[in-house]
Amino acid sequence: MPPRTLFDKVWDAHTVRTLDNGQTQLFIGTHLIHEVTSPQAFGMLEDLGLSVRMPARTFATVDHIVPTDQREEPFADALADQMIKALRANCLRHGITYFDLHSGLQGIVHMVGPEQGITQPGSTIACGDSHTSTHGAFGAIAFGIGTSQVRDVLATQTLAMSKPKLRRIEVNGTLRPGVYAKDVILHIIRTLGVNGGIGFAYEYAGEVFDALSMEERMTVCNMSIEGGARCGYVNPDQTTFDYLAGRPYAPQGAAWDEAVVRWRALASDPGCSYDDVVVIDAADIAPTVTWGINPGQAIAIDEAVPHPDRVRADERASVEEALAHMQLTPGQPIQGTKIDVAFLGSCTNARLSDFREVAAVLGGRRVAPGVHAIAVPGSTLVKEACEREGIDRVLIDAGFEWRAAGCSMCLAMNPDKLVGDQLCASSSNRNFKGRQGSASGRTVLMSPVMVAAAAVTGVISDARAVFGAGAKVSA
Amino acid sequence: MAAIAPIRTVTGRGVVVAGDDIDTDRIIPARFLRCVTFDDLAEGLFLDVRIDEDGRPTGHPLDRSEHAGASVLVSGRNFGCGSSREHAPQAIARAGFRAVIAGSFAEIFFANATTLGLVCLALDEGPLARLQAAIQAEPSATLTIDVAEASVTCADQRYPGRIADTARSVLLTGRYDPLAELLAGSDAIDAVAANLPYVGAAGGAR
Ligand code: SF4
């Protein structure tokens, strides 16, 4: 048999048949749902008199609307309260496993899947959320879907999908000290553009990915969609298996050994061909921050904000719009830009290793006067782990608010919002206008350690200068 | 399930919402996602760029009288990027639009819109700019999208574009909502599930 990619192997194993329009009817082995994009799907199902076909293959949690301070129900926001109740009722009615708010296992849906070992190599994973690409870190085909498609998965455990092309993105060499997984993906998006990945799935590979931890791989895969690619994955290896071993939904005993053999064989074969290959030198990646209103409008921390006259003609209008919204002057260094809010959180960067890293560099420094700093663990398990390690104390002593798990200010559907034109140094994934809850609010995306550097200095800063280079503690 | 009518053409007036990379947060801000039905989404469409922070209208194209009743939304490249929220095409459709013409579409938006029968026609930069100019010059002009040809005509001028074949065929045959076809594959679904160790016994539950 000719060499095959992981993508082809997994796609073929899940292909039910070819539909009349040429799309594939693809079996979805694992379906994740949350409170925002599922209630209408359950409603459609009921209108059609259909049931959930494989309730055991759908898993639910609540994340977007949950308050991160006062979590008692009913929520102050009646609409949010209605949403959590609808999710709970739908899961109960249809026999779906639900990690409820006070179950001890609740968190951002893309954190819960991996933590529970539900996310596994070689599976297909869909969720009504574009950051489902996160789960690709385990060598799964994982992608976001709309609500009508949530209905399709509930009713049939399948989707109508067009097979994307495959681009291998190889990052070789070693990351420089003070450069994190977040910088890798911001650099990739900046290089290929926010629509560079349309029509593609990404295979991330090379020495840098071989060396990254699972949590770091998740950070990169998470933001595939920000580069236009609906899914991105890393081939499974020993790092993957070590992460999954012993997790509640991972195979156990003899089944585990068999699974590892199967998973190993799924990795792309040597010599297989791709529709496109991009090679990046790790040495070219700097601590990276966004300056504009989409994640591709990013620069290295020591660079200046671009000049509209010096960009491609077809980009000029967007650059001008971004500069106006961000209140930045062409040619000004991004360093030194005053911040109002520091947000550590989101499914991109709110895992244990992110908080460990921040706690390790803070070293007794305090959040600058006038900066509102909040730290929101991505899951209840991460929150508890941080508290066991005393990380919460370090953050609280530094002046951060320590919150309960949820999406929080990543999209501000709960009470955590920017006010007016506040500028937020954020470890999240989207800097769209209005994303953090205020139409004129401004978001600058960066790694958690860079958020910490901005928090303690009150301005966008190079963490290597603030904390000393290469403070990296956890792999 | 009820049959759905084929969509061969879309006819109506256009409105230009200029700009590239218009994301779904812009199309429907997250606070409007606090709902358990799609019924009231139209009022949130582009709201944060339609009113300023004091609630005053900004003079957005959607609110100009000459564009009242427009049913074709015309925008730039990478339209609908960002979040997978179907609330975005739902809001557009519920506000009376039946088609979107853009430089290109983000994939999830395109899939969501097509499932709703909201036609997405992509035009290259040159034709797109000329079409936008034509609409600005004559807002009352009627646009006619021909789905089979993947083109739009406005004021006697034809602008050729692209609609992915997979979408074009289902629009033309009235099968853009795939659920009926997916349900029909039942035995084959079980067969695939049975071969996937991680699905295991759970797959049989029905
Ligand atoms: S943390 Fe942000 S990006 Fe992630 S699922 Fe929640 S809202 Fe979406």
Side-chain angles (χ1 to χ4, degrees), chain A residues 34 63-64 108-110 129-131 222 226 345-348 406-412 428-430 435:
Chain A
H34 59 80
D63 49 10
H64 287 65
I108 304 171
V109 63
H110 310 308
D129 191 285
S130 62
H131 292 102
N222 174 274
E226 261 58 72
S346 90
C347 58
T348 313
C407 296
S408 178
M409 208 185 272
C410 173
L411 96 165
S428 58
N429 45 48
R430 285 188 175 140
R435 171 76 179 182

Side-chain angles (χ1 to χ4, degrees), chain A residues 14 17 20-21 25 29 53-54 77 83 123-124 129-130 146-148 151 199 314 321 430 432 435 440, chain B residues 23 25-26 33-34 53 77 82-84 86 107-108 112 166 169 175 177 181-182 186 190 198 203 205:
Chain A
H14 290 78
R17 60 190 182 129
D20 287 348
N21 69 345
Q25 180 172 8
R53 187 179 169 109
M54 296 181 186
D77 176 353
M83 292 170 82
S123 56
T124 48
D129 191 285
S130 62
T147 294
S148 294
R151 172 206 63 182
D314 61 342
E321 183 188 0
R430 285 188 175 140
F432 300 147
R435 171 76 179 182
S440 57
Chain B
D23 57 81
D25 279 84
R26 186 108 52 107
L33 275 48
R34 288 154 50 247
E53 271 167 289
R77 274 177 307 189
S83 149
S84 63
E86 185 173 307
E107 252 172 87
I108 305 180
N112 288 342
T166 48
S169 65
R175 286 177 305 170
D177 182 339
E181 204 183 353
L182 295 176
S186 194
D190 289 337
Y198 74 99

Side-chain angles (χ1 to χ4, degrees), chain B residues 151-162:
Chain B
S151 69
V152 55
T153 309
C154 174
D156 293 334
Q157 193 63 46
R158 183 176 167 278
Y159 306 84
R162 283 162 279 115

